[in-house]
Amino acid sequence: IALLIILVVTYGRSLAVPFYLDDYVSIVNNPAFLAGGEVNWSQLLSMYARRAVTYATFGLNYWFAKRNGVEGFHAVNLLIHLAVTVAIWQLIRRVFLALDETADSSNVNLAAWLAAILVAVHPLNSQAVVYIVQRASLLATLFYVGALYCYLCARHGDRRFWIGVALFSALAVFSKESSWSLPFAFVLLECIYRIRKSDAKPWLVLLPFALWGGVGLAVVSNAYLGDLFRETSEISRFDYFCTQLSLFFYFLFKWAVPYGMRIDYDFEIVNSGWRLWLSIAAHLVVIAILVRMVRKFPVFVAGAGLYYVGSFIEASFIPISDLAFEHRLYLPSVGLAMMLSNGIYLLIKNDWKKSFIPVLLIGVLLLLTIMRVEAWRSPDKNHLGNISLEPTAYRPWIAVSSFMIEAGKY
């Protein structure tokens, strides 16, 4: 109930946010949505086969509403976000149980709860919640976390959960393509478990990265796979990958300092020079530190690894037209929550009263997200704000031009 109140306070006014950008193609002007709330299901699922689960929920939304209203779509997004937050809380508790059996359960529960709420009210995650079509990110994350939870339960005794692993994995894959990294997440958790429970070497934690690198080599060297694993041919794999190396740290900084949120970003390609080499060096240092930390802080390393793995599909060697969107951080934020939970646990394990620190931070982030939601409620002002922050991004200019034409101000 407390979580529901927090999210309603944070996102309640998002119910009146109008449709934006791809919402028009996917929902408002979708030819499968017929008059009177009827849905051509065969057309809908054939058009969006790779995201069939997500678009099936849009169809149900439209069918139940019997009209093309916006409130029902936002309400469902908010409920999914609520479910994701609860799922992250439970996953963190299960990871602590599997990897750090000495941790006090009551402190683990509090730390996991606070960390899940911190991520839930963070303004950087607001785009995935408020931008209706990004229900794909919400559903993929929900089922991704469900699959990981079931994997840990099945791996440690209850074989019935293997059914859940298969079911949630399938649902995640057909919600959004970013969840294709799920097998590597399983490998990551298994490697950390073996390092903790046996004499396995700490460098075993690098196995999912090595496997993903192998997939990358296969894609680059095979013409058929090369065409399959790309969204655009306008950016080379090398340019896209190198640019993502630096954007990784740009958005990590955004998590710490959530300033300048916007719908559309326009980054330049980074494929040479000091920024590229600095990014490569930073990643190598981070990975080396994680290898050294894995035995002492396995939950933190699991979170950091999941942040990386959650970024594999959209921030590596599969070129996508847009270099970055805030909603792509929603899945990696599961790993961020896990890292935060480890930090909060260390903070409160000797004095639970120190929990006021993350509670205070939750209050600050909640207010920032409320402000961000208010910006979304006014599309013209939101896009103008985007232009002031990112003058070279083309989408806000197109949107503002459309508003001016509709108002006769041209």
Side-chain angles (χ1 to χ4, degrees):
I1 296 176
L3 176 61
L4 178 61
I5 293 172
I6 290 171
L7 293 185
V8 167
V9 169
T10 307
Y11 285 105
R13 287 177 60 80
S14 71
L15 297 180
V17 171
F19 292 109
Y20 271 79
L21 303 175
D22 290 349
D23 290 340
Y24 286 93
V25 175
S26 296
I27 301 169
V28 179
N29 300 320
N30 192 323
F33 293 164
L34 309 176
E38 297 302 316
V39 179
N40 185 332
W41 289 102
S42 59
Q43 181 182 8
L44 179 66
L45 298 180
S46 62
M47 288 171 58
Y48 301 100
R50 289 191 298 180
R51 298 188 180 185
V53 172
T54 298
Y55 280 84
T57 69
F58 288 148
L60 289 171
N61 244 145
Y62 184 77
W63 184 74
F64 278 113
K66 301 298 182 186
R67 63 187 181 86
N68 209 6
V70 73
E71 296 85 359
F73 289 93
H74 281 302
V76 172
N77 274 25
L78 183 53
L79 288 174
I80 298 171
H81 185 50
L82 172 67
V84 170
T85 305
V86 174
I88 291 174
W89 167 49
Q90 291 297 323
L91 175 64
I92 293 172
R93 294 178 66 228
R94 175 57 63 170
V95 169
F96 263 101
L97 181 64
L99 301 181
D100 191 355
E101 64 281 355
T102 63
D104 177 73
S105 60
S106 60
N107 285 335
V108 164
N109 188 59
L110 179 58
W113 187 240
L114 291 172
I117 296 176
L118 271 169
V119 169
V121 301
H122 199 289
L124 205 54
N125 267 341
S126 62
Q127 187 178 101
V129 182
V130 179
Y131 186 16
I132 296 171
V133 78
Q134 283 312 314
R135 182 180 300 177
S137 297
L138 302 178
L139 287 170
T141 303
L142 176 62
F143 299 135
Y144 199 103
V145 172
L148 292 178
Y149 180 87
C150 289
Y151 174 79
L152 290 173
C153 292
R155 179 62 182 79
H156 301 107
D158 195 338
R159 294 187 176 183
R160 295 173 298 176
F161 279 92
W162 287 116
I163 299 174
V165 172
L167 176 61
F168 283 124
S169 296
L171 290 171
V173 165
F174 286 102
S175 293
K176 191 179 181 184
E177 295 85 344
S178 57
S179 58
W180 293 356
S181 66
L182 191 51
F184 302 94
F186 293 144
V187 173
L188 173 73
L189 293 179
E190 183 66 25
C191 289
I192 296 176
Y193 178 80
R194 290 180 178 272
I195 292 168
R196 284 285 293 171
K197 303 296 183 180
S198 67
D199 294 328
K201 300 298 183 181
W203 54 260
L204 185 63
V205 75
L206 301 179
L207 181 58
F209 297 89
L211 292 174
W212 184 242
V215 172
L217 290 174
V219 168
V220 170
S221 61
N222 185 287
Y224 173 75
L225 291 176
D227 291 336
L228 184 65
F229 284 86
R230 68 161 57 247
E231 187 264 344
T232 180
S233 58
E234 295 182 1
I235 308 173
S236 72
R237 295 188 192 280
F238 178 78
D239 287 352
Y240 189 82
F241 178 73
C242 291
T243 304
Q244 294 299 330
L245 290 177
S246 62
L247 291 183
F248 184 93
F249 291 107
Y250 174 87
F251 282 107
L252 269 184
F253 179 77
K254 282 276 190 182
W255 284 114
V257 184
Y259 172 77
M261 305 291 102
R262 47 196 180 273
I263 299 173
D264 200 13
Y265 290 82
D266 186 30
F267 294 103
E268 62 180 7
I269 296 293
V270 178
N271 57 12
S272 61
W274 67 268
R275 287 173 59 188
L276 174 60
W277 291 110
L278 181 61
S279 298
I280 292 173
H283 281 286
L284 292 175
V285 169
V286 168
I287 292 172
I289 291 173
L290 293 177
V291 171
R292 292 293 301 271
M293 292 175 61
V294 67
R295 289 195 186 278
K296 190 173 182 180
F297 303 106
V299 176
F300 183 90
V301 174
L306 285 175
Y307 192 93
Y308 267 104
V309 171
S311 305
F312 273 177
I313 302 299
E314 295 178 311
S316 60
F317 56 80
I318 302 176
I320 303 174
S321 300
D322 298 290
L323 291 172
F325 266 119
E326 290 171 8
H327 61 71
R328 295 180 189 169
L329 301 169
Y330 194 81
L331 177 57
S333 72
V334 175
L336 178 67
M338 202 168 291
M339 288 188 284
L340 287 171
S341 70
N342 203 162
I344 294 171
Y345 175 78
L346 294 175
L347 175 71
I348 68 173
K349 72 174 184 177
N350 293 322
D351 184 3
W352 68 269
K353 294 179 181 178
K354 292 182 180 179
S355 59
F356 83 89
I357 297 175
V359 169
L360 181 62
L361 184 56
I362 286 171
V364 173
L365 293 175
L366 185 150
L367 291 175
L368 291 174
T369 300
I370 290 174
M371 294 169 62
R372 187 70 190 120
V373 169
E374 286 300 310
W376 278 88
R377 285 168 57 89
S378 178
D380 52 346
K381 293 181 180 178
N382 198 7
H383 287 299
L384 286 171
N386 199 144
I387 290 171
S388 67
L389 292 168
E390 199 79 71
T392 56
Y394 71 93
R395 286 187 183 87
W397 286 106
I398 294 174
V400 170
S401 299
S402 298
F403 295 143
M404 293 182 68
I405 291 172
E406 291 174 4
K409 299 177 181 180
Y410 62 92

